[in-house]
Amino acid sequence: DSLKAQDRAFSSHVSSLRGDSEVAFNLERAQTAVYDAIVLQNYDVVVTGHSLGAAVASVVSVVLKDKYPSLTCFAFNPPGGLVSPELSELAAPYITSVVVGYDAISRLGIKNVKDLVDDMVFSLCRCKRPKLKIALDVLLSKRKNPLTCPRTYCSFDNIDDQVREIILEFLEHSAVHNEDIQDRLLVPMGKIVFLRPYLMDRARNDVQWDAVFADPADIVREGILLSSLSFKHHRLPVVIEAIKACIDDAEARATARV
């Protein structure tokens, strides 16, 4: 009878989430509903999040794992510079991080950001074409073919002497912490499921995806690619689309085998 009463209480908590009463569902009642589900109903704990929320979900999962042994976590496009490779490996049994395509956030890290800044500074110093013309080149689709696009950069030897002195000084200061950065590799947490676009038809806006396991360190070492896809693949609708495509493909293969 006690369990039935508790079950009814839990059902009333959950039902209050529906409709207009959702606004009135306060923190205390939410905590009670979660406690009832986990402790009294023996629900498993699943923690999930996307982007920064994925980082929070991963850290929270590490904190709560001892208290809730059945806990599992799914982190979608988490930040790359999150934990050491050793901690990532320890969390692999219960944390799965899903990295989609060319997502830049999952490849973030101290070294990658530093390399990106260095490349941007070096490119600016070598650039001989006005930025407005570069923007117009992009709008007029003049930069799609590297063989015919307008020349943008000069060689390092042709950089103005004053500019060369500035960039050499910048690179000297930038290299001070190189060794320290190499020793502080940070990666996403847990085992990595990498959703990769293996066939893209941009004309039809059609992408085919497959899923493979990947090493967290390999994901970060790829570096950051400055591309529209780097940000497009981070968006949650694209994440959902890629996961659904992989599931549909797996079901189709299973059906074909039968």
Side-chain angles (χ1 to χ4, degrees):
D1 292 338
S2 176
L3 286 176
K4 289 182 180 179
Q6 292 165 353
D7 190 35
R8 287 195 297 272
F10 171 69
S11 298
S12 68
H13 291 324
V14 174
S15 64
S16 65
L17 279 170
R18 302 184 183 124
D20 298 335
S21 61
E22 182 175 349
V23 177
F25 192 76
N26 59 39
L27 179 60
E28 184 177 351
R29 295 189 69 195
Q31 290 173 333
T32 303
V34 171
Y35 177 83
D36 286 349
I38 296 174
V39 178
L40 303 179
Q41 306 294 321
N42 293 321
Y43 279 35
D44 291 331
V45 180
V46 179
V47 186
T48 185
H50 171 255
S51 192
L52 181 58
V56 174
S58 299
V59 174
V60 167
S61 297
V62 172
V63 174
L64 294 180
K65 182 61 177 176
D66 286 342
K67 189 172 183 179
Y68 304 108
S70 66
L71 179 146
T72 55
C73 172
F74 296 95
F76 300 96
N77 281 343
L82 191 57
V83 297
S84 67
E86 291 77 14
L87 180 53
S88 176
E89 184 177 355
L90 288 174
Y94 60 95
I95 295 179
T96 300
S97 292
V98 179
V99 177
V100 179
Y102 298 101
D103 174 43
I105 303 302
S106 295
R107 293 167 173 83
L108 282 179
I110 299 174
K111 181 181 182 303
N112 287 351
V113 173
K114 175 189 172 299
D115 290 345
L116 179 61
V117 172
D118 289 352
D119 289 343
M120 291 176 65
V121 171
F122 196 50
S123 296
L124 284 172
C125 292
R126 293 178 55 221
C127 182
K128 292 298 183 180
R129 190 167 176 79
K131 311 304 179 289
L132 180 58
K133 287 189 175 181
I134 293 176
L136 289 174
D137 292 342
V138 174
L139 292 175
L140 298 175
S141 301
K142 291 183 177 181
R143 306 192 70 82
K144 290 187 175 181
N145 188 339
L147 299 178
T148 60
C149 71
R151 185 176 179 183
T152 304
Y153 298 108
C154 67
S155 67
F156 185 77
D157 293 336
N158 292 330
I159 296 177
D160 296 338
D161 292 340
Q162 186 177 3
V163 175
R164 188 185 298 112
E165 289 180 9
I166 293 173
I167 192 172
L168 287 174
E169 183 179 359
F170 169 81
L171 292 175
E172 182 180 350
H173 288 294
S174 177
V176 170
H177 301 291
N178 273 351
E179 184 175 348
D180 188 36
I181 289 175
Q182 292 287 353
D183 294 336
R184 290 189 294 168
L185 176 65
L186 298 177
V187 299
M189 197 179 298
K191 60 176 173 287
I192 302 295
V193 174
F194 179 40
L195 306 186
R196 56 185 183 181
Y198 66 92
L199 181 62
M200 292 189 292
D201 186 344
R202 295 195 177 187
R204 296 189 305 164
N205 197 26
D206 183 33
V207 182
Q208 296 185 33
W209 302 84
D210 69 353
V212 296
F213 287 110
D215 188 303
D218 289 341
I219 292 293
V220 174
R221 289 193 179 108
E222 284 184 349
I224 300 172
L225 173 67
L226 283 185
S227 162
S228 59
L229 293 177
S230 303
F231 304 100
K232 180 180 180 180
H233 288 174
H234 184 72
R235 297 174 58 243
L236 191 55
V238 177
V239 175
I240 296 172
E241 175 190 331
I243 293 173
K244 186 177 184 302
C246 290
I247 293 174
D248 291 344
D249 182 63
E251 290 177 346
R253 291 172 185 269
T255 302
R257 285 196 297 267
V258 174

